[in-house]
Amino acid sequence: MRSLGFALALLLAGPAAAQGVPEALRGAWFAGDCADPAAMLVLTGRAAARVDAEAPARLYRFATLGSAAGYALGTGTGPEAPRLMFRAAAEGLETIEPEAKTRDDRLPGDAAPQAWRRCDSPPAALAALHGEGIAFLAALENLEAACGTGTPGACAEAILRQGDVSGDARLSPAELARLARGAAWLLAVQEGATQEVLATAVGAGALGGILAARTLVESLDYDGDGRLSAAELLQDRGPGFARAAGTPEGRPLRMEGLSEGAGMLRSLMDGLLNR
């Protein structure tokens, strides 16, 4: 349940600035032999995720993007504000991860650059473990952009667009579970998981994701077709918000007990459509 709640809570983040990682540099990069890479670095519009064979994973969600010493400089969110320097190079991509104590005006400091290359066919096991998480990282940026506009219905439409694998304009439990598995991967990378721990986290997220997805569908599937539409996501939250008239007839009743069973549903819906 945690991974889906994490995915929905992330939608509370504000919109990022338009400037981002150059499109030519986005995607997956590898260090070492393509048949058995030592590390993978993924760049999206506003983030970078690094996964090594042995070392802890690292996630950079750039709060700012600038330049330093001939490199693009991305500064991550959070109290430590981690930094990543990157640029196109002869090998394909070159990055530097500066020491935390190095001042911006002295970058890159003593940190050594690392070369990365594209691989046409990364190992199947690597793609199986990381594919959905990488897709979720990119989808999350699109969700943040849409959900931060304040346009009625934009967030629900974006959720539908990013999650709708089948193209039927509905979200099935399997499609929601895919988002949850991707969120489990992202959370594990953010927490610095090793490759082994990352695999365990994604495996646990698979079961938790399908259970949470079924709960969410069952709670919002008003027409009973087993899938969620944008209209169902927006029910009581979209254009009809606060338009129920009520009536002065009758008298107040006792309210005790009405919250029973609502905690789990609230954790799923918190942050989904409301800012």
Side-chain angles (χ1 to χ4, degrees):
M1 298 293 288
R2 182 188 180 196
S3 61
L4 187 54
F6 169 75
L8 302 183
L10 282 174
L11 300 185
L12 287 169
Q19 180 190 12
V21 175
E23 289 191 19
L25 300 183
R26 299 179 193 179
W29 299 89
F30 300 88
D33 187 354
C34 284
D36 186 20
M40 176 182 68
L41 178 74
V42 177
L43 290 172
T44 59
R46 196 96 186 164
R50 175 170 177 162
V51 181
D52 289 71
E54 302 294 338
R58 291 186 288 287
L59 177 66
Y60 304 84
R61 301 208 69 214
F62 301 136
T64 61
L65 277 163
S67 60
Y71 289 79
L73 173 64
T75 303
T77 58
E80 296 182 1
R83 294 167 296 177
L84 179 69
M85 303 172 70
F86 55 92
R87 68 182 179 186
E91 293 293 327
L93 181 73
E94 188 176 87
T95 64
I96 297 178
E97 300 177 57
E99 295 288 340
K101 62 183 179 182
T102 305
R103 289 174 16 187
D104 282 355
D105 60 355
R106 295 182 179 177
L107 292 174
D110 297 328
Q114 179 166 3
W116 302 85
R117 59 189 292 192
R118 297 286 196 190
C119 291
D120 294 333
S121 300
L126 187 149
L129 177 59
H130 303 297
E132 289 180 333
I134 294 170
F136 179 81
L137 178 57
L140 178 61
E141 293 179 348
N142 286 289
L143 292 176
E144 288 172 334
C147 296
T149 63
T151 303
C155 191
E157 292 292 345
I159 293 169
L160 190 64
R161 187 166 56 252
Q162 295 300 319
D164 182 18
V165 175
S166 66
D168 63 358
R170 297 288 191 276
L171 291 179
S172 68
E175 288 166 331
L176 288 167
R178 171 179 170 267
L179 294 178
R181 290 191 298 269
W185 179 92
L186 185 60
L187 179 60
V189 170
Q190 179 176 272
E191 294 180 346
T194 61
Q195 189 96 316
E196 182 178 351
V197 173
L198 189 58
T200 301
V202 172
L207 177 59
I210 193 63
L211 294 175
R214 286 174 177 170
T215 298
L216 187 59
V217 170
E218 290 173 0
S219 68
L220 297 177
D221 180 24
Y222 303 112
D223 62 10
D225 67 352
R227 299 167 297 167
L228 298 183
S229 66
E232 287 169 326
L233 289 173
L234 284 172
Q235 180 65 39
D236 302 321
R237 301 175 181 84
F241 173 71
R243 293 185 182 176
T247 177
E249 305 298 330
R251 56 186 298 177
L253 300 176
R254 293 172 60 89
M255 300 297 290
E256 288 82 353
L258 291 184
S259 64
E260 293 180 6
M264 179 175 64
L265 179 58
R266 186 180 303 111
S267 69
L268 292 172
M269 292 302 299
D270 183 29
L272 179 58
L273 299 172
N274 304 297
R275 289 182 54 79

